[in-house]
Amino acid sequence: MSEKHSFQAEIQQLLNIVIHSLYTDKEIFIRELVSNASDAIEKLRFLQASGTTVADPDTALKIGIETDDKAHRVIITDTGIGMTREELIENLGTIAHSGSKAFIQRLAQEKKPDVSLIGQFGVGFYSAFMAASKVTVESRSYHPDATGWKWTSDGSGGYEIEPAEGVVRGTRITLELKEDAKDFASEWRIEEVLKKYSTFVAFPVELNAKQINTKQAIWTRSKSDIKDEEYDEFYSYIAHDSDKPLFRLHFSADAPLSIHALLYVPKRNPEILGMARAESEVNLYCRKILIQAKAKDLFPEWLRFLRGAVDSEDLPLNISRESMQDSALLSKLNKVLTSRFIKFLDDQAEKHPDAFEAFYAEYQRYLKEGAAMDFTHRESLSKLLRFESSALEKGKTTTLVDYIMRMPSEQKDIYYLLAPSRESAQSSPYYEVFASRKYEVLFLSDPIDEFVMDNMREFDGKKLVSGEKADLKVENPASTEGALSTDDTSSLATWLKETLGTRVEDVRSSERLVDSPAVIVDKDKHLSASMRRMMKAMRPPGTPEPDQKMDLEFNPRHPVMIRLQQTRSTNASLAAEVAEQLLDNARVAAGVMDDPRQMIGRLNSLLAQVLNKN
Ligand code: ADP
Ligand code: MG
């Protein structure tokens, strides 16, 4: 005897939307039903594991899908916990989850309801009615004395329930496909959908008796059970990469979120290989069911080189792309994962410096991008950065932490110089004051370093200051014998300004120089040498150099300046040529000499005069 039941009002409302929706992505019903099957088996496995007696205890845990393209039918079977009569009524006719009602209300108000959200709100089962005109659920609960029941509905009005003979433990769902969903009765179509969403379901998924999911969800397994080869195999499967990964991080956490994550760093930086901007290829799962492939907001941008899987039981199934974006849960997940990965890198740097170095060589740009842009993780990221330093031999690098440990107590800031090479930094006039004071200077040669330093601004409460802009004086300048007097210094400054005209903004004496006669300093204290070089590189050929507000600072203790002050009165034209040449030399040292050919003529004339003297 079958009994008729009505759906709860909200369910009927939902079904009306589902049945009449023009939503085209009907295939998600497969994902929802497979996900329910997997849940049911998961629950059974838990019961068995915790010692509960279940019916048919030796039945293999698996999900079966049969297609019948003649009858336009697809059948999904699982050997999970099944449902009693009461459970069928409770689970497939009323709303179990809070929030579902609100979801249905919202859907009802929308012009184009997004039915794909259905699984997120605990009503995924009803997606079956997108594809089926009639759904039959035959189920037998795991209780040893439970009997079989059959639930049928066409989605309109209600459902019928009757006892059923010959039902084994678990659930069997038969879908009579609608005209416009007949393609789901063909094996290849189902296979396509399964490959897309259910590859890593933890239990065998068999399509017409052939197992589809050969890859197990290794990220949820215990680390000690997994062989390196398995890890590598999974990596090559998900990353389409035949190389072994550079790093692998497999971890689980319970708080603040339940997370299983298996992350890989490819051996090669994918952006170097492909030129194009890499995209994160970490899949997001909830209990081994794919929620989103290549999940967009799971990691910050700078971690886009990661590959792997993240599984969180706290995520609602079928969370959609749109709701992903404003999901507080997702940003929490993002934060936890990112912090954990940074900690992993930190550990590597400490315990396996060689491996970290290899990683750093390949991926430093990403870390720097993060240090510059990702405020949340800036501090921990900046600890991972490495720089060459005046305190270390060539080729060795330091962290900012170690730099600070070496700082003399009176030094306030962290200094760096940007130069194409260590040698050119060391021979730069800007380095002199640091050498004289024995202050450590970081040598930065990556063009993006300056951008990074500008954005980081400080580290551990210490300002990051470009050596070109440092406000420092040489300590106890060596010999002041013959040095220009204050009067001579200021009259030389006035004369230099007159002589150099618009080529300089201002001329003054400097206390930062030891071996160089003069240096140029950016008036705006804004553009450093490397930035100027970059701007120069970006200027279209032929465009004149823009007005650069450069100040010339000179060293009143330097023999050239001392002699220049004397020569002004004895040989005005030679003095003028020397002044021009001093400025050009300073410009070369600063890396802003556009076309050195124009100064060759003057240099030759100066050489001739030197030789004539002898
Ligand atoms: P959700 O899976 O989010 O709970 P669904 O609408 O997909 O929402 O399913 C509703 C409920 O129906 C499930 O919570 C479960 O109790 C029950 N159910 C659905 N499919 C099965 C199945 N194959 N085996 C056992 N129970 C099931
Ligand atoms: Mg479900």
Side-chain angles (χ1 to χ4, degrees), residues 122-138:
V123 285
F125 168 78
Y126 304 98
S127 65
F129 290 94
M130 285 198 291
S133 54
K134 184 178 171 203
V135 177
T136 304
V137 179
E138 290 158 286

Side-chain angles (χ1 to χ4, degrees), residues 71 76 100 113 120 123 145 235 404 416 445 501 546 559:
I76 300 171
S100 307
Q120 189 182 336
V123 285
D145 49 359
Y235 171 72
I404 288 178
Y416 61 87
S445 54

